[in-house]
């Protein structure tokens, strides 16, 4: 559920803009407009040359979201926004209407493994969805992971990443607020508890369990760029082995996943927002090398492994 302030900002910002336009356009000679100017943003140019072209970034300092300067800027912008929204007529009525519309039960599409249904569910009076499991279609819903006790203001969310073929283990991640970084965890479904394995907080693009639950393949963005690792269940993640990604910079996106029959590993490299991709696969069953399927072609390729074939859609 989106925080009320965000919902109100989206719906009411148009009213603020209209009010500002009315106040200023009605009297072009008014030296004191009704709506004050927003807080100023410091300009600190950073110059760099990319592919022979010099580029100037005046707001590079804002990329450090944890610096005191950035936090002060965010606080000032929020205070300015609140000062405008608080004066919008009908705000209380709109807030009540939106709150009423958002108080509904919600359930995500289930992931089914071994006649066990895994899904997210949120009741009308809850701020965040929890992860549940149902044994059989007519079984009772069992609460597995509840994010509500994880933060006093209910800003923590949980996301299901993968489920083992026998339905006895799942991989899930915890997200603080709207951060890009998450913290993955492994969960013993039958024992209803986390496994001791720990993973670093970071930006992941694929977390996939092997069928025998002995390993986890995942893609993590490092300082150098995205890298694919394999983690042996029951070991320290500091000892995880990097198997793919060397040479790729942070502008690339690498996703990874194990096929349904646990036979193959599929790796997809996306060239940023450009519709250009690379495809690779590895025969896990026979411990084969990582094989290049598509590379250095200026087009998009999207694969899906089924049995011993990969079906590819391309433009």
């Amino acid at each position: 559920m989106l925080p009320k302030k965000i919902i109100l900002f989206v719906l009411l910002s148009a009213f603020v803009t209209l009010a500002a336009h009315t106040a200023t356009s009605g009297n072009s000679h008014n030296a004191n407009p009704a709506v004050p100017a927003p807080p100023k943003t410091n300009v600190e140019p950073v110059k760099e040359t990319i592919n022979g072209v010099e580029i100037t970034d005046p707001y590079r300092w804002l990329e450090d979201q944890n610096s005191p300067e950035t936090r002060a800027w965010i606080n000032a912008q929020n205070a300015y926004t609140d000062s405008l929204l608080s004066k919008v007529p009908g705000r209380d009525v709109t807030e009540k209407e939106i709150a009423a519309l958002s108080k509904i039960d919600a359930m995500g599409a289930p992931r089914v493994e071994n006649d066990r249904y895994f899904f997210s569910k949120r009741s009308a009076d809850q701020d965040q969805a929890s992860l549940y499991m149902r044994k059989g279609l007519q079984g009772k819903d069992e609460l597995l992971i509840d994010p509500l006790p994880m933060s006093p203001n209910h800003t923590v969310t949980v996301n299901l990443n993968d489920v083992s073929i026998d339905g006895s283990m799942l991989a899930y991640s915890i997200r603080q607020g709207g951060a890009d970084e998450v913290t993955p965890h492994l969960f013993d479904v039958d024992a209803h508890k986390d496994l001791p394995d720990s993973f670093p907080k970071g930006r992941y693009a694929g977390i996939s369990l092997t069928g025998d639950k002995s390993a986890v393949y995942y893609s993590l963005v490092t300082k150098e760029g995205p890298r694919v690792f394999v983690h042996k269940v029951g070991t320290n993640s500091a000892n995880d082995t990097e198997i793919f990604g060397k040479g790729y910079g942070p502008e690339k996106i690498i996703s990874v996943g194990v096929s349904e029959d646990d036979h193959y590993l599929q790796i997809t490299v996306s060239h940023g927002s450009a519709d250009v991709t690379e495809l690779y696969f590895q025969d896990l069953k026979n411990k084969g090398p990582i094989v290049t399927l598509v590379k250095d072609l200026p087009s998009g390729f999207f694969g899906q492994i089924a049995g011993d074939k990969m079906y590819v859609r391309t433009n």
Side-chain angles (χ1 to χ4, degrees):
M1 180 186 297
L2 288 173
K4 294 179 180 177
K5 181 179 292 186
I6 294 178
I7 298 176
L8 284 173
F9 177 79
V10 172
L11 294 181
L12 298 180
S13 58
F15 299 157
V16 176
T17 303
L18 179 60
H21 175 74
T22 303
T24 55
S25 63
N27 184 1
S28 59
H29 301 290
N30 186 2
N32 298 303
V35 179
K40 292 184 177 180
T41 302
N42 292 334
V43 175
E44 300 177 8
V46 174
K47 294 183 179 181
E48 58 183 341
T49 301
I50 301 178
N51 294 329
V53 179
E54 184 178 80
I55 297 175
T56 301
D57 184 353
Y59 305 114
R60 181 72 56 85
W61 63 275
L62 280 172
E63 293 185 8
D64 184 359
Q65 61 178 329
N66 295 318
S67 72
E69 293 79 12
T70 302
R71 303 315 304 177
W73 181 87
I74 292 174
N75 291 337
Q77 296 294 329
N78 285 338
Y80 174 76
T81 301
D82 291 339
S83 70
L84 297 181
L85 292 181
S86 64
K87 300 175 183 178
V88 175
R91 176 185 172 95
D92 293 340
V93 175
T94 304
E95 182 175 357
K96 291 179 181 179
E97 291 178 350
I98 294 175
L101 292 172
S102 64
K103 287 186 177 297
I104 58 172
D105 294 340
M107 177 183 290
R111 168 76 179 267
V112 185
E113 296 291 353
N114 194 27
D115 201 32
R116 291 184 170 189
Y117 293 74
F118 297 87
F119 55 93
S120 61
K121 185 173 71 171
R122 176 183 62 80
S123 62
D125 60 347
Q126 291 179 318
D127 291 327
Q128 303 293 351
S130 299
L131 293 182
Y132 287 82
M133 185 266 292
R134 182 186 299 180
K135 295 179 181 177
L137 188 59
Q138 304 302 324
K140 180 182 177 181
D141 292 350
E142 298 181 25
L143 175 62
L144 299 180
I145 304 162
D146 183 3
L148 297 179
M150 298 181 187
S151 65
N153 53 358
H154 297 168
T155 56
V156 171
T157 56
V158 294
N159 298 283
L160 180 64
N161 299 118
D162 198 17
V163 181
S164 63
I165 295 176
D166 65 358
S168 67
M169 180 189 295
L170 60 84
Y172 74 95
S173 56
I174 295 177
R175 185 187 305 275
Q176 302 282 345
D180 293 329
E181 297 81 11
V182 301
T183 304
H185 295 268
L186 299 181
F187 188 82
D188 186 324
V189 176
D190 295 323
H192 279 226
K193 67 177 183 180
D194 281 341
L195 295 178
D197 303 59
S198 62
F199 296 85
K201 183 178 181 180
R203 291 165 53 199
Y204 290 79
I207 302 174
S208 190
L209 299 169
T210 58
D212 60 3
K213 299 172 292 185
S214 66
V216 181
Y217 287 88
Y218 62 88
S219 174
L220 172 65
V221 178
T222 68
K223 293 181 179 179
E224 293 75 26
R227 301 291 185 267
V228 176
F229 295 87
V230 58
H231 168 79
K232 299 298 182 182
V233 175
T235 65
N236 191 319
S237 62
N239 299 322
D240 291 354
T241 303
E242 179 183 320
I243 64 171
F244 183 86
K246 186 176 181 179
Y248 288 104
E251 75 282 0
K252 300 295 191 297
I253 302 171
I254 301 179
S255 58
V256 61
V258 178
S259 63
E260 287 291 331
D261 59 2
D262 202 39
H263 193 152
Y264 298 98
L265 179 72
Q266 179 177 328
I267 300 173
T268 304
V269 179
S270 301
H271 290 225
S273 60
D275 196 7
V276 177
T277 58
E278 304 170 14
L279 287 180
Y280 303 83
F281 70 91
Q282 181 181 22
D283 187 338
L284 298 178
K285 185 176 181 180
N286 296 306
K287 300 180 180 180
I290 294 177
V291 178
T292 302
L293 183 62
V294 177
K295 185 180 181 182
D296 296 330
L297 292 177
S299 301
F301 295 84
F302 308 93
Q304 179 66 53
I305 295 176
D308 289 323
K309 295 183 176 64
M310 179 186 290
Y311 295 86
V312 179
R313 175 173 57 88
T314 178
N315 58 6

